[in-house]
Amino acid sequence: MAAILQTLTIVVLLGYPFAVYFGLQYLPANSVAMLLAALLLLRLMLQKQQVKALIAPIVLGLALTLGSAIAKQQDWLLFYPLVINGAMLVLFGGSLWRTPCMVERLARITEPDLPDSARPYLCKVTLLWCGLFVLNGAAALYTALWSSIETWTLYNGLIAYLLIGTLAGGEWLYRHFYLKSS
């Protein structure tokens, strides 16, 4: 049952921008904030010690959603993508000061026999991810402060995921062929 709830919360939180958009359009005031807060609380309880780095953004999201409901400020819900990008920037950026860097850790999950010569490349890719998180965070902040809810939803619910998927897929393909040829 926990696995089903965990999967459900992941799917809903990935769809957070759409949940906010439709919730603000069709649900009574503050109900979307309370619903999202409940999902984040459930996610936090299910998280346990699996990935400690994900606890902080969940707690910050919980604070944003509960604060939004209490203060009756629905626009606070728009800042969660900024929190996620900031958390990922800290996670990836912090890994540059200790080995292995984040992309190397992720790469070794599927390719444990990576040569040591790949480390500089993987650190550069980690730096590239940091740049993407800065760009996404800036766009998330811009759309939260100065654009319509439709633009915010489009960027944070689709374009940001397309950018992340393109970088992840493109880098994996490049690494797969780059490392195999070297």
Side-chain angles (χ1 to χ4, degrees), residues 17 78-89 127-145 151-168:
L78 305 180
F79 292 97
Y80 191 57
L82 178 63
V83 167
I84 294 299
N85 280 288
M88 297 305 285
L89 177 60
L127 195 56
L128 181 63
W129 274 102
C130 290
L132 179 65
F133 295 131
V134 168
L135 173 75
N136 269 344
L141 179 61
Y142 177 84
T143 59
L145 291 174
T151 302
W152 177 86
T153 304
L154 177 65
Y155 186 83
N156 293 289
L158 179 64
I159 295 170
Y161 289 131
L162 289 174
L163 290 172
I164 290 168
T166 300
L167 180 55

Side-chain angles (χ1 to χ4, degrees), residues 88-132:
M88 297 305 285
L89 177 60
V90 168
L91 185 65
F92 276 64
S95 77
L96 291 169
W97 282 274
R98 55 186 192 277
T99 55
C101 64
M102 184 57 67
V103 173
E104 182 179 347
R105 290 180 206 174
L106 295 171
R108 287 195 185 277
I109 292 170
T110 58
E111 301 173 50
D113 298 327
L114 284 171
D116 287 340
S117 62
R119 281 195 170 142
Y121 165 75
L122 296 170
C123 286
K124 287 178 186 174
V125 174
T126 300
L127 195 56
L128 181 63
W129 274 102
C130 290
L132 179 65

Side-chain angles (χ1 to χ4, degrees), residues 6 46 59 84 90 133 149:
Q6 195 166 26
L46 293 170
V59 169
I84 294 299
V90 168
F133 295 131
I149 187 71

